[in-house]
């Protein structure tokens, strides 16, 4: 109880530190031997160190050291940033939890930022620069990668740098990529539907043989194949005074009745 100065290392067994003042319950590690160095508290079990908390006077940080895996698991830096040396797990059994909030209270036009950084000494085409996974379980309690967003370097050249963003989902138990953004291009390997209805029968898109097709009411209305041949199913309605122009001296129109 009270204030006590300890000038060298001490070992305490089941020691309680108490104070009569509500504002004076503290352990102070005060290094008075000069500049530099560090102070620490060690956590041991049967003489074997498990963890250590130490402050560096050279680099001005406070670190939580895990002796078992020999890394700084948590470092509080002098610039206000925090460095984590491993995975971060947020777990909760409450509804709609856990939640990760990034809040900015400054008065300018900028908001919070998330950086996914791939720091490579030898960047190459198709290198991943970041992934976001959304996982769930199927009816057999197997964990599934339901949705994945993948960022890649398409061309690492410093004079023609290109990047790519791909969205992955599952269809009939197989992973598919319905949307790819590369450079200024958009790739849509499948069909685009006109409303948020998986059973919608009006849609258009591309098939694997480079064919573009428009479906309405469940039937094919327009088909353009890889040879640029156009097939219309149904009636072609043209307003009064409208024309069809055929360019070139050898152009022909054939009208068949079958």
């Amino acid at each position: 109880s009270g204030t006590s100065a300890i000038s060298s290392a001490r070992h305490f067994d089941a020691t309680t530190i108490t104070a009569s003042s509500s504002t004076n319950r503290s352990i102070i590690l005060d290094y008075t031997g000069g500049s530099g160095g560090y102070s620490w508290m060690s956590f041991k079990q049967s003489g074997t160190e498990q963890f250590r908390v130490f402050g560096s006077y050279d680099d001005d940080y406070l670190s939580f050291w895990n002796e078992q895996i020999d890394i700084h698991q948590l470092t509080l830096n002098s610039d206000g940033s925090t460095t984590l040396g491993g995975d971060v797990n947020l777990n909760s059994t409450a509804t709609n939890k856990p939640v990760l909030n990034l809040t900015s209270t400054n008065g300018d036009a900028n908001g919070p930022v998330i950086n996914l950084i791939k720091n490579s000494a030898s960047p190459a085409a198709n290198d991943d620069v970041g992934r976001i996974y959304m996982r769930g379980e199927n009816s057999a309690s197997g964990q599934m990668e339901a949705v994945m967003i993948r960022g890649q370097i398409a061309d690492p050249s410093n004079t023609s740098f290109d990047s790519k963003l791909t969205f992955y989902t599952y269809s009939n138990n197989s992973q598919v990529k319905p949307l790819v953004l590369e450079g200024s291009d958009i790739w849509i390997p499948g069909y685009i539907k006109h409303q948020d209805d998986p059973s919608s029968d009006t849609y258009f898109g591309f098939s694997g043989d480079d064919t573009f097709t428009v479906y309405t009411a469940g039937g094919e209305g327009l088909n353009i194949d890889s040879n640029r041949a156009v097939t219309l199913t149904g009636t072609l309605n043209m307003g009064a005074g409208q024309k069809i122009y055929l360019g070139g001296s050898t152009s022909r129109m054939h009208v068949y009745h079958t």
Side-chain angles (χ1 to χ4, degrees), residues 37-72:
Y38 54 86
S39 299
W40 77 87
M41 291 188 296
S42 179
F43 298 81
K44 297 184 177 182
Q45 183 178 26
S46 300
T48 301
E49 186 172 51
Q50 307 292 319
F51 302 97
R52 181 187 298 181
V53 179
F54 68 91
S56 170
Y57 303 116
D58 292 317
D59 301 313
D60 295 328
Y61 66 77
L62 179 68
S63 175
F64 294 79
W65 174 267
N66 188 333
E67 185 69 20
Q68 305 306 301
I69 54 179
D70 201 34
I71 64 169
H72 293 274

Side-chain angles (χ1 to χ4, degrees), residues 42-108:
S42 179
F43 298 81
K44 297 184 177 182
Q45 183 178 26
S46 300
T48 301
E49 186 172 51
Q50 307 292 319
F51 302 97
R52 181 187 298 181
V53 179
F54 68 91
S56 170
Y57 303 116
D58 292 317
D59 301 313
D60 295 328
Y61 66 77
L62 179 68
S63 175
F64 294 79
W65 174 267
N66 188 333
E67 185 69 20
Q68 305 306 301
I69 54 179
D70 201 34
I71 64 169
H72 293 274
Q73 282 194 286
L74 173 63
T75 303
L76 307 179
N77 304 300
S78 60
D79 62 359
S81 64
T82 301
T83 303
L84 299 171
D87 295 339
V88 178
N89 297 309
L90 305 177
N91 301 304
S92 176
T93 59
T95 301
N96 294 326
K97 301 290 184 180
V99 175
L100 177 62
N101 294 310
L102 305 179
T103 303
S104 174
T105 59
N106 62 42
D108 61 24

Side-chain angles (χ1 to χ4, degrees), residues 4-258:
S4 178
I6 301 174
S7 60
S8 60
R10 292 289 188 274
H11 294 269
F12 299 96
D13 296 324
T15 300
T16 301
I17 299 176
T18 62
S20 57
S21 171
S22 61
T23 60
N24 189 23
R25 293 188 294 271
S26 59
I27 298 176
I28 300 174
L29 303 181
D30 186 4
Y31 178 63
T32 60
S35 61
Y38 54 86
S39 299
W40 77 87
M41 291 188 296
S42 179
F43 298 81
K44 297 184 177 182
Q45 183 178 26
S46 300
T48 301
E49 186 172 51
Q50 307 292 319
F51 302 97
R52 181 187 298 181
V53 179
F54 68 91
S56 170
Y57 303 116
D58 292 317
D59 301 313
D60 295 328
Y61 66 77
L62 179 68
S63 175
F64 294 79
W65 174 267
N66 188 333
E67 185 69 20
Q68 305 306 301
I69 54 179
D70 201 34
I71 64 169
H72 293 274
Q73 282 194 286
L74 173 63
T75 303
L76 307 179
N77 304 300
S78 60
D79 62 359
S81 64
T82 301
T83 303
L84 299 171
D87 295 339
V88 178
N89 297 309
L90 305 177
N91 301 304
S92 176
T93 59
T95 301
N96 294 326
K97 301 290 184 180
V99 175
L100 177 62
N101 294 310
L102 305 179
T103 303
S104 174
T105 59
N106 62 42
D108 61 24
N110 301 309
V113 175
I114 296 177
N115 286 320
L116 304 180
I117 301 173
K118 169 68 173 180
N119 189 356
S120 172
S122 56
N126 296 318
D127 277 359
D128 280 5
V129 293
R131 295 188 181 193
I132 299 176
Y133 292 93
M134 287 164 249
R135 304 179 187 270
E137 292 189 348
N138 58 23
S139 59
S141 298
Q143 189 179 94
M144 298 294 294
E145 180 190 301
V147 176
M148 191 252 285
I149 303 173
R150 180 185 187 186
Q152 292 176 281
I153 294 175
D155 180 357
S157 172
N158 66 332
T159 58
S160 58
F161 188 88
D162 292 322
S163 61
K164 179 166 62 176
L165 185 67
T166 306
F167 294 80
Y168 293 84
T169 58
Y170 269 76
S171 177
N172 197 26
N173 217 41
S174 296
Q175 189 181 63
V176 295
K177 46 183 181 181
L179 178 62
V180 181
L181 309 177
E182 181 169 353
S184 59
D185 296 328
I186 301 175
W187 300 357
I188 303 174
Y191 293 102
I192 300 176
K193 298 190 174 184
H194 81 295
Q195 59 186 10
D196 185 17
D197 179 6
S199 61
S200 173
D201 57 6
T202 300
Y203 52 94
F204 66 92
F206 310 87
S207 60
D209 58 354
D210 294 329
T211 298
F212 176 77
T213 310
V214 177
Y215 293 87
T216 60
E220 181 179 303
L222 171 66
N223 180 283
I224 305 175
D225 67 18
S226 58
N227 295 316
R228 296 182 294 278
V230 179
T231 302
L232 289 172
T233 303
T235 303
L236 176 61
N237 295 314
M238 300 180 62
Q242 303 301 310
K243 301 176 178 63
I244 296 178
Y245 290 93
L246 302 178
S249 60
T250 59
S251 298
R252 301 288 187 274
M253 175 179 286
H254 301 275
V255 179
Y256 296 93
H257 175 71
T258 59

